[in-house]
Amino acid sequence: MRDDDPSSSHPPYNNTNAVQDPPLTPALPPPMMSMSTSTATPPSTSTPLSDIPLEKLHQQLLPITIPHTSLKAHFTNWGQSYTCSPSVVFEPETEEQCAVILEVARREGETVRAAGVGHSPSDLACTKGYMLRTEKLCRVLEVNTEKRYVVAEGGITLNALHAALAEHGLAMINVGSISDQTLAGVVTTATHGTGLGFKVISTHVQALVLLLADGSRRRCSRNEHAELFMASLCGLGSTGLILQIQMEVGPAFRLKERQTSLGFTEVVDRLDAYASASEHVRLWWFPQADTIRLSCADRTTEPRKPAASFLWHSVIGYHVVQFLLFVGIYVRAINPWIARLTVWLDRAPTLTVDDSWRVFNLDCKYPQFTTEWALPYTSTAACLLELRTWLDNEHRSPTGLRPHFPLEIRFSDQDDIWLSPSSGTRTTWIGIIQYKPYGFNVPYRKLFAQFEAILAKHGGRPHWAKAHSLKPVELRRLYPRFDDFIRVLEDVDPRGMFRNEYVQRHLFGMDGPRWGERVFKVRQ
């Protein structure tokens, strides 16, 4: 369902009038010229925004306002499952322009939602208010090779960050399955990679620079405005606009990945041994074939040896499988057969040596519905066995569900971030998908509801970037610091400028058609 509202009001942006930030304490540490590269500029002084007439602020925003006739005036996430038509879409290039947007929003009582690439498979980025697209807030501001950190604007994609770090012989310490997402999006959702000895990516953040709802620009870290920092590390974009991120990085490295196929029972019976067999372990479970594809990756100095096959990755792995998945929409019995075919085609052991992020990342292939939950690592075996019993029963029933494949299983160490699904416990992440071949919708709601019920039974917490149904009552039980998080939000944003429908629904318990879980669904 598109949310095109012709009655939305739009500001009369007509000309430009240069506006700068008010004087601020420098947001970054002094550049270390002998060991770092920095393009950061100190804040400048000018007339306070509060003294500038609203009409002139509207005019200032005209060059960065997306026309309502443009396709970019509407937002659809990568999975093509949620869409919205904000009242106005801005595409700023500077911090000063961001400050003007927030000043106008304050005066007009509008909400502001920052959106990046749109990879979240939920309505986390959707809004009916102002949308601030961050693609052009993408500069690397400083690279410190001795202290091994990078400072970048929040809108930079991980792909761009990988390239910039590689020029200095550096790399991110851990990466998730995709790099076509913004750094700020990764930080605010506690996005994770895999490895029992590695925490969620947000734990590598050393400092943040935020533009708060009142227009102030604040640097925070574990030693400076610590509560705001801890809330923002998995803050869902609700604490303020992330302008800059200082993140710990490490020396560039290669990974040697070995993949092999094993039986489900063998892996579950020896889960501890397999999960700790390498630095980075990932499992793909094909329940239709009772098979798990095991990926073990470790750091290496061996030369690159990519494993890509044109036949598998381009012809069969993409086009043929997508066509079969399309047929499966109408002939459901074919879906288990497709999974078994895939397991057979990919049955041989493989060896890959490549740059770290290339091994971490996956080709997601097609738009998809997906959900992922985190559960205590100690509950993993019991949860997987219950999931298998459920899915086996579905496959045995003539009218049972015929889901796609596979389930992805990853691991992370515990952390102390207030709303991180790994907070306080070593964690197993289990994700399930339903592919959308050629963009066509497929059944998923009954499948996901039963999956989530089983994960919740075993102490699961949903990944914040995914769609879920939990409200404050359930979240308070799962997160001991939930009320502290809400207190920080009410302190830095008492009017709720950064609270879109997702935040209001899940964090503040708002209910009804305006806030509903399906208000931004492409199809109801």
Side-chain angles (χ1 to χ4, degrees):
M1 178 186 72
R2 299 199 71 89
D3 182 34
D4 300 303
D5 183 2
S7 65
S8 298
S9 60
H10 313 301
Y13 307 128
N14 294 318
N15 61 44
T16 61
N17 181 28
V19 177
Q20 302 291 328
D21 266 332
L24 294 167
T25 301
L28 303 175
M32 306 180 69
M33 301 307 294
S34 63
M35 61 197 71
S36 67
T37 300
S38 176
T39 59
T41 55
S44 58
T45 61
S46 184
T47 303
L49 292 179
S50 58
D51 293 345
I52 299 175
L54 183 59
E55 181 180 358
K56 289 189 176 181
L57 294 178
H58 283 319
Q59 294 167 357
Q60 172 71 18
L61 294 179
L62 180 61
I64 61 170
T65 303
I66 303 298
H68 277 261
T69 55
S70 170
L71 292 177
K72 295 182 70 175
H74 308 286
F75 172 86
T76 301
N77 68 339
W78 178 85
Q80 300 176 17
S81 51
Y82 291 89
T83 187
C84 67
S85 294
S87 60
V88 186
V89 178
F90 300 104
E91 197 172 42
E93 300 182 23
T94 67
E95 294 183 10
E96 291 81 8
Q97 291 170 340
C98 294
V100 176
I101 294 170
L102 266 59
E103 177 66 23
V104 171
R106 276 194 300 277
R107 297 194 199 182
E108 298 196 333
E110 279 282 2
T111 59
V112 178
R113 193 61 179 168
V117 178
H119 234 289
S120 294
S122 70
D123 63 337
L124 179 61
C126 291
T127 183
K128 294 181 180 178
Y130 288 176
M131 176 172 281
L132 191 156
R133 300 303 301 263
T134 63
E135 288 96 328
K136 294 183 179 180
L137 300 168
C138 58
R139 296 181 303 157
V140 173
L141 303 174
E142 181 182 0
V143 177
N144 191 305
T145 55
E146 179 176 326
K147 294 190 174 181
R148 293 178 181 169
Y149 68 77
V150 61
V151 180
E153 292 182 312
I156 193 171
T157 64
L158 297 194
N159 280 324
L161 185 59
H162 296 326
L165 291 174
E167 293 179 359
H168 298 273
L170 299 172
M172 292 181 65
I173 295 170
N174 200 5
V175 181
S177 294
I178 55 174
S179 289
D180 188 20
Q181 54 187 326
T182 64
L183 183 58
V186 167
V187 170
T188 58
T189 56
T191 294
H192 62 97
T194 192
L196 284 174
F198 295 83
K199 301 177 182 180
V200 298
I201 298 173
S202 301
T203 60
H204 302 146
V205 176
Q206 298 174 330
L208 297 170
V209 176
L210 302 175
L211 188 59
L212 302 183
D214 64 1
S216 61
R217 188 173 182 269
R218 188 170 300 174
R219 188 178 195 270
C220 57
S221 67
R222 287 182 179 268
N223 299 316
E224 183 180 9
H225 303 294
E227 288 199 328
L228 176 60
F229 180 71
M230 297 304 294
S232 299
L233 288 181
C234 186
L236 312 180
S238 59
T239 59
L241 177 62
I242 296 181
L243 298 173
Q244 299 172 14
I245 299 168
Q246 180 175 316
M247 173 174 280
E248 177 190 7
V249 294
F253 61 98
R254 289 178 183 153
L255 286 173
K256 182 176 183 178
E257 180 193 38
R258 300 176 180 86
Q259 288 191 23
T260 187
S261 295
L262 301 167
F264 174 88
T265 300
E266 178 182 353
V267 174
V268 173
D269 285 350
R270 302 182 61 230
L271 183 65
D272 288 342
Y274 282 115
S276 59
S278 291
E279 294 176 85
H280 305 279
V281 174
R282 178 175 0 213
L283 310 175
W284 291 280
W285 172 29
F286 296 80
Q288 303 89 337
D290 207 34
T291 298
I292 286 179
R293 186 72 172 174
L294 171 68
S295 165
C296 293
D298 294 284
R299 282 156 175 74
T300 183
T301 57
E302 295 180 20
R304 292 181 67 242
K305 184 182 177 182
S309 160
F310 174 79
L311 180 65
W312 170 241
H313 290 275
S314 298
V315 179
I316 296 177
Y318 189 89
H319 297 291
V320 173
V321 171
Q322 181 169 214
F323 175 74
L324 292 174
L325 291 170
F326 173 73
V327 174
I329 296 175
Y330 305 98
V331 185
R332 295 189 311 126
I334 200 176
N335 285 329
W337 178 83
I338 300 170
R340 289 190 288 270
L341 171 65
T342 302
V343 169
W344 181 80
L345 290 170
D346 202 26
R347 68 192 183 281
T350 62
L351 175 65
T352 300
V353 179
D354 213 334
D355 297 331
S356 57
W357 64 271
R358 296 180 189 275
V359 174
F360 286 135
N361 284 178
L362 299 176
D363 181 0
C364 293
K365 296 189 183 296
Y366 331 113
Q368 56 198 242
F369 296 114
T370 181
T371 188
E372 183 180 32
W373 282 54
L375 71 154
Y377 173 77
T378 53
S379 301
T380 305
C383 182
L384 291 175
L385 289 170
E386 185 167 350
L387 286 171
R388 183 174 70 165
T389 299
W390 161 55
L391 291 171
D392 284 349
N393 290 337
E394 294 291 348
H395 288 135
R396 280 194 292 266
S397 170
T399 59
L401 299 172
R402 298 293 184 267
H404 292 161
F405 60 90
L407 281 76
E408 185 181 26
I409 303 165
R410 290 177 285 173
F411 308 96
S412 67
D413 200 0
Q414 66 178 341
D415 59 69
D416 62 350
I417 299 172
W418 290 359
L419 290 193
S420 166
S422 289
S423 181
T425 181
R426 179 174 277 192
T427 299
T428 299
W429 302 78
I430 305 178
I432 190 170
I433 62 174
Q434 283 289 84
Y435 290 117
K436 299 172 63 177
Y438 307 113
F440 282 83
N441 266 354
V442 294
Y444 75 96
R445 295 178 68 184
K446 288 176 62 178
L447 177 73
F448 284 15
Q450 185 61 35
F451 170 83
E452 292 171 0
I454 293 173
L455 269 291
K457 176 181 174 182
H458 291 274
R461 298 165 169 171
H463 191 309
W464 286 106
K466 272 70 170 181
H468 63 91
S469 60
L470 300 193
K471 301 291 179 62
V473 171
E474 298 94 341
L475 293 171
R476 280 189 173 89
R477 291 197 294 264
L478 293 174
Y479 294 100
R481 302 301 298 269
F482 182 83
D483 286 326
D484 291 322
F485 179 83
I486 297 299
R487 173 175 51 79
V488 170
L489 293 194
E490 292 176 337
D491 179 48
V492 297
D493 186 15
R495 189 182 65 79
M497 176 186 290
F498 293 110
R499 300 177 201 170
N500 70 335
E501 287 77 359
Y502 179 104
V503 171
Q504 292 281 27
R505 178 172 67 241
H506 294 296
L507 300 186
F508 291 90
M510 302 298 289
D511 202 3
R514 180 180 177 186
W515 320 103
E517 297 172 9
R518 302 185 65 79
V519 65
F520 294 118
K521 286 292 292 183
V522 172
R523 296 179 179 88
Q524 289 291 308

